[in-house]
Amino acid sequence: MPSSKRPEFPSNRASMRGPLLLTFLAFTSAAAKPNAGLKTWGRFTKLPYPGDKAFLYETFPKDFIWAVGTAAYQVEGAFDKDGKGLSIWDTFTRGGNRIATGDVGSDSYHNIPADIRAIKQLGVSHYRFSLSWARIFPNGTRGSYNEIGTNYYRTLIRRLKEIRVQPVVTLYHWDLPDHLQQTLGGWSNPELVEIFRDYADFCFQTFGDDVKYWITIDNPFVVARHGYGTGVVAPGIKNDPDLPFRVGHNLLKAHAAAWHLYDRHYRPHQQGKLSMALASHWIKPSRTRLESLRECQCSLDHVLGWFARPLFTDGDYPACMKARLGSRLPSFTQEEREQVRGTADFFALSHGAALSFHLINDSLKFGQQEDLDLRMLLYWVSAEYDRPPIFVVQSGWYVLGNTKTEDPKHMYYLKRFIAEALKSIVIDGVNVFGYTAWSLIDGFEWHREYGIRRGLYYVDFNTPDMKREPKTSATFYRNVIQRNGFPEHPENRPAQGVFPCDFAWGVSANSIQVETRPSQFADPNIYLWNISNNGELMRLEGFRAPPLRRTTHCADYATIRQQVDEIRQVGLNHFHFSLNWSAVVPTGDVAHPNTTLLGYYRCFTRQLLQANVTPVVTLWHHTRQCSSLPAPLDADSKWETPAAFADYARLCYRELGPYVKMWITLNEPNDDMVSYQEAHQMLRAHALAWHVYDLEFRHAQGGQVSLALHMDWVEPAFSFSREDVEPAKRVLDFRIGWFAEPIFGRGDYPVAMRSWLRQLNSLDLPVFNEEDRQLVKGTYDFFALSHFNKNHYFVQHMIDTTWIMSPRPVVPWGLRKALNWVKEHYGDVPVYVMANGVQEDPARFKDSLRVYYLYNYINEALKAYTLDGVNLKGYFAYALNDQRDPGFGLYGQVQEEVIVKASLSNYRNIIQHNGFPIQGAAPQQCPSMTQACLGCHVLMKRHVVGFLTLVGSGMLITLGLIIYYKAKRHKDCY
């Protein structure tokens, strides 16, 4: 009886959003305890897999802030124009072995209209930029005030207001006036605390009426550790290992002084908010031990907690830092703690290439593994610092310096980070209220100079006006902003509906277990049966039963019964497996076949039919490991004699054809390891085999023949770019059309394929003469494809980082697109998905990835059938068991015990409902399936069963001749 439970969508949203959010709120309702973030790693390991990894289609809160940002030294240029003083970067880039400077950068100082135009095109609500301290106060103090430099920022803010974009202003983004460095030692001198406060006072007074978000200091970790420790960035000091901690101490005090100034004198009438931008990597434990988790926590404390804990917790440094650094770390007085604690109105978080994987030294990883996970970092910040409102003030990635307007790597990292921020809000309950893509335009990338580009807009540094052009990442970001995230479209929702009544539900296996000698009724020994004690059978030495004089029968093969039972339990009506050509015809001569093996295959297919399972048999299965050709053919020129394959096919049709109604000649021949010449002969071999069936067997047997092509889907990296769309089409021509077009199309290779090879001056692709064209064209009865999970984006050969990885990407919609490609090219041809599956750890019997995979890929197949009109006739999951296809099976195995995995039960449920019925709809009315031929078995007496039993001392000695009944079956059971 079919299960009453309808197939349920393994949701990554509705099913987890409520419980997880309630859990989070319960966890954070009380004030966060020290090291509360330690629970982050354990929490994420318990989230449902792979549903939690699936892309979340949802939108951000209505008032979410969408921003883009820049830093003054990177983009402004005009380093000595209109009275600007030198900064430490102007000096730093002229020393050592550095070859480039930011003297001109992107020349934003002279390009306000171009920058405003770019900002407006993006549609952001906020623009983050930094003030050049040395442009306002050339020597760093109020006495050197520069009116022209100040007017530049007044103009920029006014122009932003005109396009309704709010400024987010950073007071200090690494470019200290060089005069302060030369005369006072820069941030190593506590005097800078008051000097910075005075600079901030001027900025609040001058710009504050138009600014609602202030950042005092950007990334103090980089300033302290790499400006005054490693010397990687300006001012390049590296002679005192303890200096970074003193610098960090002064930076915190300077920030606190500015915050209190604003809070007392400006907040009441300006109503702004102020924070310090803190950057961090993410880290994951190298081992699942508490010690590793504590080391991860300590790593974050040394980078992010160094500044975040004093601001957001208790005004002091993390205990881990104090324990490991001791006296090297300055200490706060109680008064200073009170002065620093709570001096942030929101958590300004920077994340991405500026720190992660670039400026984190191995010594700060404490033996753990750095990772790029914004979502977990956001959760950790929320848990560790008692759920502060979080503004992601810098996020993005980079591309190499020679990249122009097509930057898929940046685009997909941007997509990943935004998607992680969305999950953080929707699923994890983290209070993220804004996101800033970095950066607006290409510029001088600090210690990387111009070796990388991070802008959403490409800057041509060789043009006088520094021409800006939007990159594909800009187009992507604009679209995200317009939609306020990733709203769910109808094509993203699970489909409801059923497949036709005659739909083929199957499983594919590369091969089956073959038994060359029968294992049933083959033991001639006589046994003692100890019925009064342990019930064991003990062999009686010196006695043997007389040999049986009869022919082998199908029931003699235990492996057949076991395999057919496993297949039947899945609930399917088709089973696809491959013959072994080299084993069936070892010599290559069909006049001398392996009759024992053919007999086994005959029994296997016949037993499948008796179980109401239709056999689908492949004549030749391509593998990269071996050719599977008979040795004499493999030793020669392999496929140079297609007639040999036709002879082999004829043998199989004759021997197995009464039981097999679906044949695959070649399975997945379109491998990139196959040469064009070899493929040409494979096509001829397939065609000859098809014609053999069509002319000699079809009338009597009534079956169908085709070949099965491996079909990965490829997508243009930029669907709006012709330069990407055309190559993606060409890739499909080379991979699929290569074999499909000669058979299903016009009898020749794809035009685009031949044209492209001509452009490359390649003559490798053979030419069909008219005879071969007529031979090959139309040699199909259906289109069979195998599709797994290896989607790519072209022209940029890459993978979307938001896809579930297994380790290959799991992209269910790729199957739907592949099926539509077949329809688009070959019309209403009947289509079978002949193999579709995912590899998962064989030890995971609760194989949640495969459950998710099968549900979603079958659901996409249903969309292709019901919504797109694809003539889909069947779906075959891959594979039956791990024993034959390790890691892909619906059955697992522990030693001799066969284990039913969770995916099998879920697949059987889908089959029983013939898809995904609409809730509350009347059941689908289908004709009754033909039941197994149980009534065909009429026992006919062949031999007498005789037992001689001797009783003595509690033992029975049983002598039993192996006697049997043979079932007389109706002829239609064979």
Side-chain angles (χ1 to χ4, degrees):
M1 292 289 291
S3 168
S4 61
K5 183 181 179 183
R6 293 171 182 265
E8 295 179 357
F9 179 61
S11 171
N12 62 309
R13 182 177 54 178
S15 64
M16 68 177 74
R17 181 174 171 182
L20 291 180
L21 189 53
L22 289 174
T23 301
F24 181 86
L25 293 175
F27 172 65
T28 58
S29 58
K33 298 178 181 179
N35 291 326
L38 189 63
K39 297 181 180 180
T40 300
W41 294 272
R43 185 259 186 186
F44 277 85
T45 61
K46 296 174 183 176
L47 293 180
Y49 177 80
D52 181 67
K53 296 294 185 183
F55 192 82
L56 175 64
Y57 291 98
E58 186 58 272
T59 55
F60 285 85
K62 187 176 180 180
D63 57 349
F64 192 76
I65 291 175
W66 292 105
V68 68
T70 57
Y73 184 76
Q74 293 185 281
V75 300
E76 282 183 5
F79 82 105
D80 60 353
K81 297 289 181 68
D82 297 333
K84 177 186 173 293
L86 294 178
S87 76
I88 54 175
W89 274 95
D90 294 319
T91 305
F92 180 70
T93 53
R94 285 167 169 74
N97 57 2
R98 285 166 287 279
I99 60 175
T101 72
D103 290 359
V104 179
S106 314
D107 203 22
S108 285
Y109 186 77
H110 299 110
N111 272 290
I112 287 181
D115 287 350
I116 292 294
R117 186 164 53 250
I119 293 166
K120 185 176 181 180
Q121 286 175 352
L122 286 176
V124 295
S125 60
H126 290 67
Y127 175 53
R128 181 189 171 199
F129 65 93
S130 71
L131 306 175
S132 172
W133 189 345
R135 194 176 297 282
I136 297 173
F137 295 167
N139 71 4
T141 61
R142 194 184 290 255
S144 63
Y145 170 64
N146 177 20
E147 178 74 16
I148 299 177
T150 305
N151 285 339
Y152 165 71
Y153 296 113
R154 287 194 180 104
T155 302
L156 176 58
I157 292 173
R158 187 185 80 251
R159 294 295 303 274
L160 288 171
K161 290 288 188 177
E162 288 173 359
I163 61 171
R164 298 184 179 180
V165 171
Q166 298 298 316
V168 178
V169 179
T170 302
L171 295 174
Y172 180 71
H173 200 129
W174 308 3
D175 52 348
L176 186 72
D178 189 59
H179 180 77
L180 297 178
Q181 182 63 41
Q182 300 302 328
T183 59
L184 298 175
W187 287 108
S188 65
N189 193 326
E191 290 183 30
L192 247 69
V193 173
E194 188 57 35
I195 294 173
F196 180 75
R197 180 186 181 280
D198 188 55
Y199 163 59
D201 184 33
F202 172 84
C203 295
F204 296 151
Q205 183 179 28
T206 305
F207 309 116
D209 289 341
D210 295 313
V211 178
K212 301 306 176 188
Y213 287 97
W214 291 95
I215 303 295
T216 55
I217 297 167
D218 181 85
N219 204 338
F221 172 86
V222 169
V223 175
R225 182 175 177 84
H226 295 296
Y228 293 85
T230 65
V232 172
V233 302
I237 295 172
K238 51 184 176 182
N239 56 1
D240 183 352
D242 296 340
L243 182 59
F245 305 114
R246 299 198 297 274
V247 168
H249 206 64
N250 291 332
L251 289 169
L252 280 165
K253 289 181 178 181
H255 158 81
W259 187 91
H260 284 291
L261 170 72
Y262 187 84
D263 191 54
R264 291 169 189 153
H265 300 289
Y266 295 99
R267 193 191 306 275
H269 64 276
Q270 292 183 356
Q271 297 295 302
K273 295 181 179 179
L274 185 144
S275 190
M276 177 188 252
L278 306 181
S280 185
H281 61 315
W282 182 247
I283 198 91
K284 62 182 182 180
S286 57
R287 296 183 179 181
T288 56
R289 295 179 178 177
L290 183 58
E291 292 81 1
S292 293
L293 293 179
R294 286 174 177 158
E295 291 299 286
C296 288
Q297 181 83 4
C298 198
S299 175
L300 293 173
D301 276 343
H302 274 73
V303 178
L304 184 58
W306 181 4
F307 300 93
R309 185 177 178 89
L311 297 181
F312 290 92
T313 305
D314 58 5
D316 201 2
Y317 296 116
C320 173
M321 283 191 77
K322 293 198 290 186
R324 300 198 182 194
L325 294 173
S327 60
R328 297 177 61 193
L329 191 66
S331 59
F332 290 108
T333 65
Q334 187 60 39
E335 181 182 356
E336 288 172 336
R337 289 183 186 180
E338 294 301 319
Q339 178 77 2
V340 170
R341 182 174 65 87
T343 57
D345 302 317
F346 57 93
F347 199 111
L349 179 66
S350 293
H351 175 262
L355 189 60
S356 292
F357 295 98
H358 283 266
L359 293 175
I360 292 294
N361 188 279
D362 284 345
S363 65
L364 290 179
K365 298 175 187 177
F366 302 132
Q368 310 311 305
Q369 300 172 2
E370 190 175 1
D371 196 13
L372 195 64
D373 197 314
L374 176 58
R375 181 184 173 189
M376 291 186 72
L377 177 59
L378 288 168
Y379 186 90
W380 185 88
V381 168
S382 187
E384 185 76 5
Y385 302 114
D386 198 16
R387 231 172 156 256
I390 302 173
F391 187 177
V392 179
V393 294
Q394 180 174 338
S395 178
W397 206 242
Y398 66 94
V399 293
L400 296 179
N402 59 358
T403 305
K404 293 190 176 180
T405 57
E406 293 193 352
D407 59 340
K409 182 178 179 181
H410 189 189
M411 181 177 73
Y412 288 118
Y413 271 107
L414 200 61
K415 178 183 178 183
R416 170 179 173 176
F417 297 147
I418 295 172
E420 288 179 356
L422 180 61
K423 283 187 177 181
S424 184
I425 296 168
V426 174
I427 298 175
D428 306 333
V430 177
N431 185 12
V432 182
F433 68 90
Y435 180 90
T436 307
W438 201 270
S439 61
L440 174 65
I441 53 179
D442 293 332
F444 180 83
E445 288 298 335
W446 308 115
H447 64 294
R448 301 291 295 271
E449 300 179 349
Y450 295 101
I452 62 173
R453 291 175 179 262
R454 298 188 64 196
L456 299 176
Y457 280 75
Y458 170 76
V459 175
D460 188 343
F461 298 112
N462 296 317
T463 57
D465 60 348
M466 298 286 176
K467 182 180 178 182
R468 282 105 159 103
E469 292 183 67
K471 300 180 186 179
T472 46
S473 55
T475 304
F476 166 79
Y477 193 45
R478 182 178 67 232
N479 290 338
V480 171
I481 293 171
Q482 287 175 347
R483 296 175 298 176
N484 199 32
F486 309 99
E488 187 176 51
H489 298 295
E491 62 266 24
N492 304 133
R493 300 184 189 122
Q496 288 186 299
V498 292
F499 292 95
C501 289
D502 61 350
F503 195 73
W505 291 104
V507 165
S508 282
N510 284 345
S511 61
I512 58 172
Q513 185 177 351
V514 173
E515 202 175 356
T516 55
R517 296 184 62 183
S519 57
Q520 295 284 85
F521 311 115
D523 187 356
N525 293 294
I526 299 175
Y527 295 85
L528 293 175
W529 183 12
N530 187 352
I531 61 171
S532 62
N533 191 4
N534 56 13
E536 289 186 352
L537 290 174
M538 295 179 291
R539 191 170 63 185
L540 195 60
E541 298 294 338
F543 294 90
R544 295 175 71 84
L548 294 175
R549 290 181 173 85
R550 67 173 182 85
T551 57
T552 300
H553 297 281
C554 293
D556 296 348
Y557 295 103
T559 55
I560 291 179
R561 185 181 68 250
Q562 176 189 345
Q563 291 178 92
V564 172
D565 283 347
E566 289 178 0
I567 293 165
R568 187 168 48 197
Q569 285 183 47
V570 183
L572 44 83
N573 52 39
H574 285 66
F575 180 70
H576 172 216
F577 69 97
S578 300
L579 306 180
N580 187 332
W581 183 5
S582 61
V584 172
V585 189
T587 64
D589 183 358
V590 295
H592 304 284
N594 183 336
T595 55
T596 301
L597 183 57
L598 279 172
Y600 185 89
Y601 285 139
R602 192 182 303 114
C603 286
F604 186 79
T605 54
R606 193 167 68 188
Q607 293 300 114
L608 284 175
L609 281 177
Q610 289 180 12
N612 285 325
V613 177
T614 300
V616 182
V617 176
T618 288
L619 296 175
W620 178 80
H621 186 102
H622 173 72
T623 60
R624 291 192 171 191
Q625 289 75 24
C626 59
S627 71
S628 300
L629 298 176
L633 297 178
D634 198 24
D636 295 335
S637 50
K638 295 186 177 180
W639 290 94
E640 285 301 315
T641 54
F645 182 72
D647 290 339
Y648 161 63
R650 182 180 288 107
L651 170 68
C652 296
Y653 298 152
R654 184 176 65 243
E655 296 295 325
L656 306 179
Y659 318 111
V660 179
K661 304 307 175 188
M662 285 189 71
W663 292 94
I664 302 293
T665 55
L666 310 175
N667 191 79
E668 301 182 0
N670 55 325
D671 187 280
D672 55 14
M673 298 296 289
V674 173
S675 69
Y676 292 136
Q677 192 63 46
E678 190 177 0
H680 196 72
Q681 298 304 326
M682 285 181 175
L683 283 165
R684 295 183 69 241
H686 156 78
L688 289 172
W690 188 90
H691 284 293
V692 165
Y693 192 85
D694 192 54
L695 296 173
E696 302 176 27
F697 297 94
R698 189 187 300 275
H699 178 73
Q701 297 180 359
Q704 295 181 313
V705 182
S706 195
L707 82 172
L709 299 178
H710 182 86
M711 190 171 184
D712 288 334
W713 182 249
V714 294
E715 185 84 357
F718 319 113
S719 58
F720 41 81
S721 168
R722 179 185 174 89
E723 293 181 1
D724 259 38
V725 171
E726 291 304 318
K729 290 180 178 179
R730 186 164 58 244
V731 169
L732 291 169
D733 277 336
F734 269 78
R735 291 185 175 180
I736 315 301
W738 177 23
F739 274 78
E741 190 61 21
I743 295 171
F744 298 90
R746 61 193 189 91
D748 198 357
Y749 297 113
V751 174
M753 183 180 182
R754 196 176 290 282
S755 173
W756 183 255
L757 289 173
R758 283 201 189 104
Q759 291 182 44
L760 299 177
N761 296 318
S762 171
L763 301 176
D764 292 342
L765 193 63
V767 176
F768 283 103
N769 58 38
E770 187 56 33
E771 180 182 353
D772 282 345
R773 188 190 301 267
Q774 295 305 319
L775 173 71
V776 172
K777 183 179 179 182
T779 53
Y780 69 90
D781 296 308
F782 53 88
F783 194 113
L785 63 90
S786 58
H787 178 92
F788 293 90
N789 53 339
K790 193 180 178 183
N791 290 35
H792 290 286
Y793 279 117
F794 280 83
V795 156
Q796 318 290 338
H797 187 81
M798 63 174 301
I799 291 171
D800 188 334
T801 55
T802 63
W803 291 339
I804 296 172
M805 304 300 291
S806 69
R808 293 179 176 181
V810 174
V811 191
W813 52 258
L815 175 59
R816 182 181 178 186
K817 293 208 172 192
L819 291 170
N820 273 277
W821 185 93
V822 175
K823 181 191 175 188
E824 177 186 335
H825 285 74
Y826 306 116
D828 200 40
V829 60
V831 184
Y832 290 85
V833 178
M834 198 54 70
N836 179 232
V838 66
Q839 192 169 22
E840 191 169 6
D841 183 355
R844 292 176 63 105
F845 299 134
K846 189 177 180 181
D847 49 345
S848 54
L849 175 61
R850 187 171 293 104
V851 170
Y852 175 91
Y853 183 100
L854 291 176
Y855 184 101
N856 284 277
Y857 276 81
I858 296 171
N859 199 265
E860 291 296 322
L862 179 66
K863 292 176 187 177
Y865 169 69
T866 59
L867 302 179
D868 308 330
V870 175
N871 189 12
L872 185 62
K873 293 294 187 180
Y875 174 91
F876 290 69
Y878 179 82
L880 184 63
N881 58 53
D882 286 337
Q883 185 179 16
R884 308 299 297 176
D885 302 287
F888 284 92
L890 299 173
Y891 287 99
Q893 191 157 357
V894 176
Q895 296 178 345
E896 299 300 318
E897 183 183 1
V898 175
I899 307 294
V900 175
K901 295 185 184 179
S903 57
L904 188 151
S905 302
N906 280 267
Y907 185 40
R908 180 171 56 212
N909 192 34
I910 293 172
I911 294 172
Q912 288 171 342
H913 289 88
N914 204 28
F916 311 90
I918 299 172
Q919 200 74 26
Q924 184 181 24
Q925 299 298 318
C926 290
S928 299
M929 297 288 293
T930 303
Q931 296 301 310
C933 193
L934 301 177
C936 312
H937 300 263
V938 179
L939 293 177
M940 293 183 60
K941 188 174 179 182
R942 292 299 188 193
H943 295 276
V944 176
V945 179
F947 291 94
L948 174 61
T949 303
L950 305 176
V951 183
S953 302
M955 301 286 287
L956 286 177
I957 303 176
T958 302
L959 173 62
L961 297 177
I962 308 298
I963 312 297
Y964 67 96
Y965 282 97
K966 180 179 180 183
K968 177 182 178 183
R969 299 171 173 87
H970 291 305
K971 61 181 180 181
D972 59 353
C973 294
Y974 285 86

